[in-house]
Amino acid sequence: MSGKRLILMGPPGGGKGTQAKRLQEKYGIVQLSTGDMLRAAVKAGTAVGKQAKEVMDAGKLVSDDLIVAMISERIDEPDCANGFILDGFPRTVPQAEALDKLLSSKGIALDKVIEVAVPDAKLIERITGRFTCAKCGEGYHDKFKQPQKAGVCDACGGTDFTRRADDNEETVTSRLKAYHDQTAPLMPFYKEKGLLEVLDGDRPMDAVTADLERVLGS
Ligand code: AP5
């Protein structure tokens, strides 16, 4: 499959990042994670990072204008020409409307919007157990995906791991609230356009991947 343009939606900790990385590898389309972009900006201490840090640490949503400007610039880069997976964007109705305008101004259309649905009760455990390799960004979980050799990254052999500042129980509650209040209204928005596919994300990672591949085809 080439030239696919997807949105992967779902609650915090629902598995968007995990699945987007697998799809990126299988289909050769690039993962565009607004969360990763913002964390990189925070780490680099840029103006965007300074603006976003406090909002992210509180589990709230960064301003639509800032996010739309960031995505608009990123989508113009050459690696997006073969298709992309939007992971964590859009997250509000104004962001979805801005994306529509942006894509139609470039003469491109979305192929699918896929919601990976997971009940709230499962998300706290997923989020509080998450850690990543500091060197290559490979994702792990205390219970669901441990490195084969304890303390050593399977992907790159790195031995430093990090946990996100917003991966704690208090922040998860506000992230879930933001999801239900501001992002869930996007499902009817995309359903009406005939683009929405809802998958059960409350299953082992490989089962979710198989479902995604079934929806996306070869
Ligand atoms: P962002 O980075 O997008 O965070 P999020 O939406 O809260 O999603 P996560 O990255 O936490 O979860 P995920 O679905 O990718 O799950 P993962 O695959 O890692 O955003 C962070 C912040 O940035 C926001 O709060 C906001 O402030 C800001 N922001 C970002 N985009 C924005 C936007 N568009 N507008 C405004 N603000 C924005 O999986 C989680 C864990 O579970 C992992 O450890 C994984 O190993 C494990 N796991 C995955 N799948 C399974 C499975 N099937 N079974 C068991 N375990 C699993």
Side-chain angles (χ1 to χ4, degrees):
M1 183 185 73
S2 66
K4 284 283 178 195
R5 287 154 187 120
L6 319 171
I7 299 178
L8 209 50
M9 312 227 17
K16 304 178 295 294
T18 302
Q19 298 298 336
K21 286 193 173 59
R22 292 178 176 199
L23 297 179
Q24 168 169 265
E25 207 157 290
K26 176 165 171 91
Y27 295 115
I29 50 179
V30 69
Q31 172 196 14
L32 303 182
S33 157
T34 41
D36 286 350
M37 291 178 207
L38 291 169
R39 279 184 289 279
V42 170
K43 198 169 169 198
T46 64
V48 166
K50 284 185 183 131
Q51 233 178 299
K53 186 176 184 327
E54 212 174 296
V55 181
M56 293 172 80
D57 285 348
K60 299 203 170 120
L61 294 185
V62 174
S63 85
D64 290 336
D65 290 351
L66 189 154
I67 295 284
V68 170
M70 201 171 72
I71 278 287
S72 164
E73 226 173 76
R74 182 65 185 85
I75 263 176
D76 278 337
E77 287 181 29
D79 62 344
C80 293
N82 193 42
F84 49 76
I85 309 156
L86 292 168
D87 162 8
F89 174 87
R91 247 173 158 103
T92 64
V93 172
Q95 287 182 19
E97 289 167 348
L99 177 66
D100 267 2
K101 273 200 201 139
L102 182 72
L103 294 181
S104 66
S105 75
K106 295 178 195 301
I108 49 183
L110 287 169
D111 296 293
K112 282 254 178 278
V113 177
I114 305 178
E115 180 194 0
V116 179
V118 180
D120 286 7
K122 300 286 176 80
L123 298 169
I124 295 185
E125 185 183 27
R126 284 209 194 169
I127 288 176
T128 53
R130 168 170 50 192
F131 59 100
T132 51
C133 172
K135 195 170 158 198
C136 74
E138 182 72 11
Y140 294 97
H141 192 279
D142 292 329
K143 183 167 163 190
F144 304 121
K145 189 190 163 197
Q146 293 169 345
Q148 278 164 14
K149 187 171 172 211
V152 182
C153 174
D154 298 342
C156 75
T159 51
D160 278 345
F161 294 88
T162 55
R163 291 186 189 253
R164 273 168 47 178
D166 60 345
D167 277 355
N168 55 68
E169 264 190 73
E170 304 91 82
T171 309
V172 172
T173 310
S174 6
R175 283 159 67 193
L176 278 173
K177 184 168 168 17
Y179 181 74
H180 291 298
D181 292 352
Q182 290 167 274
T183 309
L186 292 185
M187 306 315 162
F189 178 90
Y190 286 117
K191 192 170 180 202
E192 221 164 86
K193 293 176 183 285
L195 290 171
L196 184 69
E197 212 47 79
V198 183
L199 303 183
D200 178 5
D202 185 16
R203 291 173 306 145
M205 291 176 206
D206 290 350
V208 179
T209 308
D211 240 13
L212 280 163
E213 291 179 359
R214 177 186 53 75
V215 167
L216 297 173
S218 53

